[in-house]
Amino acid sequence: MIDLLHEIEDIYATRAHARYGLEDVSQLQHALQAAAHAEAAEAPPALVLAAMLHDVGHMIHKLGHAPAEEGIDDRHEALGAKWLARRLPRAVSEPVRLHVSAKRYLCAVEPGYAENLAPDSVLSLKLQGGPMTAAEAQAFIAQPYATEAIALRRFDEAAKDPQMQTPDAAHFLRHLAAAHIGGGERARFARDGFVVVPDFFSADEVAELDAISRAMGATAAATLARAARESAAPSALAQQEGSLIVVPEAADPRQVCRFEYLLGSDAEFRSLAERRIAPVIAALAGEPYLPFKDKENEKHPGGGAFRPHQDFAAYQSFGPRYNVTAMLSIDAATRANGCLEFASDWKARSDDAAVEARVDGRPLLRFHKGGACNGDVLEEIAARFDWLAVETTPADLVLFDSFVPHRSAPNGTDASRRAMFLTFNAAREGDWYARYYADKRAHFDDPKFHVSTPTAHG
């Protein structure tokens, strides 16, 4: 992302000061105005970036600043989309690829649109094929990202005011961290409570996360070995401020089930999470988010299952009323090794009798309180749902909220399946990370810290 940021900054610093077609603004002014209009419309990060970068094709070809005057269609939308597709997700590149077609579409279906086009847009429209036929319009609107392309087209048309003041490029390029989040991702997250972002992490980031996990895992294993040598309960070892909190498997106190306080014990890891993951959560939820708690589930061969539950059952005694968790698959997660499964239709199948309470309108399902099944959604309720297994690679990112029911099966393979879970809460609800872990260190065995886990609890 840093290399890409520098590449874009270089293009706009060296090639964007030429006049934008026949208009009285430069390419840079046009790009910034389009992005400002997108941001004012509360467009998702991917569309703000598409607005900022939609004419990058004009800046990387060698046909001059107004090729339409020479009777040349520079195909800037295809050139720019190809350039973007090698660097950014489809939620950015596809609206750019389609934004010229969106002009042709609007000319065909929206009365008065063509008459209000700027002179350079009228000139280029003729070279681009003119208004669409009815069949072309029907085919266009059925494509993925057509709606985003139409919105981009409107931002494009409005971005030609020589007097408009805008933030600088850096203001809009901050959205690069959340470039994977477009309108589709927002809609799926709002509907389902989870979304999978494939190929989110680079190969270098995957290697970095694996190294962090291995180092922390070695520390966690050493903590349990020390507990065995000293005949000490893990709760006693958790009292050391700043250290990992290690929780053993219920069936084997020498085997790590999970460890926590990842972000608190590693400043570089916290910086990575705040730089790469928090902006994506903010993009999905529409506001800034802060770390709330974290853990790595080890799930070694034969490691126990995590039964159907909602995370809010464990979080309800704390302040935040809604949380979002990022799952980082340190190892590939498959059905065989117990990948995460989500209830894909749970809201539709949760009648009033299944609901324990509603939290800001979100249903908290009836669950076991205390005992070996503490926190589990009642069996007769969980049986209603269709469960979707989400298989992931270490490059993928999974985001889910604190109300979607989820579970995972035991690891039936002979290799470990490590996964990190970083949970965040809305910044407006306060910074809870230190308070959460102060409470956990003081009350290690409290059942609220052992919800639907294969760990010992009262």
Side-chain angles (χ1 to χ4, degrees), residues 43 51-52 111 124 146 158 183 217 229 244 264-265 275 277 330 332 347 356 366 377 410 435:
M52 170 78 189
S124 60
R229 288 194 308 270
L244 290 177
S265 62
R275 184 177 70 252
I277 297 171
I330 306 302
K347 293 178 184 176
E356 175 92 10
R366 293 169 60 205
V377 172
R435 284 180 280 180

Side-chain angles (χ1 to χ4, degrees), residues 17-375:
H17 295 284
R19 185 180 178 188
Y20 172 69
L22 303 178
E23 301 295 332
D24 292 327
V25 294
S26 67
Q27 290 280 4
L28 178 60
Q29 287 175 299
H30 177 65
L32 296 177
Q33 288 181 26
H37 286 303
E39 204 166 71
E42 299 184 348
L47 193 53
V48 174
L49 287 170
M52 170 78 189
L53 302 169
H54 74 280
D55 278 343
V56 70
H58 281 317
M59 286 170 268
I60 59 178
H61 68 47
K62 299 178 181 179
L63 299 175
H65 76 276
E69 285 189 293
E70 308 298 324
I72 299 171
D73 178 9
D74 65 4
R75 298 283 294 158
H76 74 284
E77 74 282 8
L79 181 62
K82 184 177 179 180
W83 187 89
L84 290 168
R86 292 196 296 265
R87 295 162 172 82
L88 289 165
R90 283 166 53 84
V92 179
S93 64
E94 282 298 282
V96 171
R97 183 178 70 83
L98 295 171
H99 82 279
V100 168
S101 295
K103 176 174 71 172
R104 297 182 59 220
Y105 172 82
L106 289 170
C107 286
V109 305
E110 186 173 298
Y113 182 85
E115 288 75 13
N116 290 319
L117 287 176
D120 59 335
S121 289
V122 173
L123 187 60
S124 60
L125 176 65
K126 296 177 182 178
L127 299 171
Q128 292 158 350
M132 287 181 172
T133 65
E136 287 175 328
Q138 186 176 13
F140 168 80
I141 200 61
Q143 295 181 83
Y145 299 103
T147 300
E148 288 86 346
I150 291 169
L152 173 55
R153 186 73 231 172
R154 298 191 190 281
F155 303 146
D156 183 358
E157 293 295 343
K160 300 172 182 179
D161 179 0
Q163 304 303 318
M164 182 177 177
Q165 298 298 309
T166 66
D168 62 12
H171 172 83
F172 301 112
L173 292 177
R174 79 188 195 281
H175 291 296
L176 283 171
H180 291 75
I181 304 305
E185 288 75 17
R186 276 184 169 179
R188 286 195 296 275
F189 188 73
R191 181 190 68 220
D192 301 331
F194 72 95
V195 68
V196 180
V197 184
D199 300 321
F200 177 81
F201 294 109
S202 68
D204 286 346
E205 287 172 329
V206 167
E208 182 180 1
L209 290 169
D210 180 69
I212 290 169
S213 170
R214 289 184 185 280
M216 290 185 177
T219 299
T223 298
L224 291 190
R226 175 186 164 198
R229 288 194 308 270
E230 299 176 359
S231 298
S235 57
L237 299 180
Q239 303 308 309
Q240 184 178 344
E241 187 175 348
S243 65
L244 290 177
I245 297 175
V246 186
V247 184
E249 292 269 359
D252 184 355
R254 297 167 298 178
Q255 181 163 291
V256 175
C257 174
R258 70 172 185 263
F259 50 86
E260 303 190 24
Y261 202 64
L262 284 61
L263 301 178
S265 62
D266 189 323
E268 289 187 8
F269 184 39
R270 180 161 185 145
S271 175
L272 186 153
E274 292 175 342
R275 184 177 70 252
R276 292 286 282 127
I277 297 171
V280 183
I281 294 175
L284 277 176
E287 59 181 307
Y289 269 61
L290 299 172
F292 173 71
K293 62 159 297 212
D294 52 46
K295 65 182 177 183
E296 175 168 310
N297 288 342
E298 291 286 272
K299 195 170 276 196
H300 296 297
F306 291 77
R307 296 174 299 274
H309 65 283
Q310 295 171 288
D311 284 345
F312 192 76
Y315 304 159
Q316 59 183 321
S317 63
F318 296 93
R321 299 294 86 192
Y322 184 73
N323 302 81
V324 178
T325 294
M327 185 188 83
L328 288 59
S329 303
I330 306 302
D331 300 308
T334 66
R335 287 173 174 84
N337 67 16
C339 66
L340 206 59
E341 300 176 27
F342 292 106
S344 60
D345 59 345
W346 71 282
K347 293 178 184 176
R349 300 190 184 185
S350 300
D351 56 23
D352 288 343
V355 175
E356 175 92 10
R358 295 191 181 273
V359 183
D360 296 339
R362 301 180 179 95
L364 178 63
L365 302 175
R366 293 169 60 205
F367 61 93
H368 290 281
K369 299 175 178 67
C373 296
N374 182 53

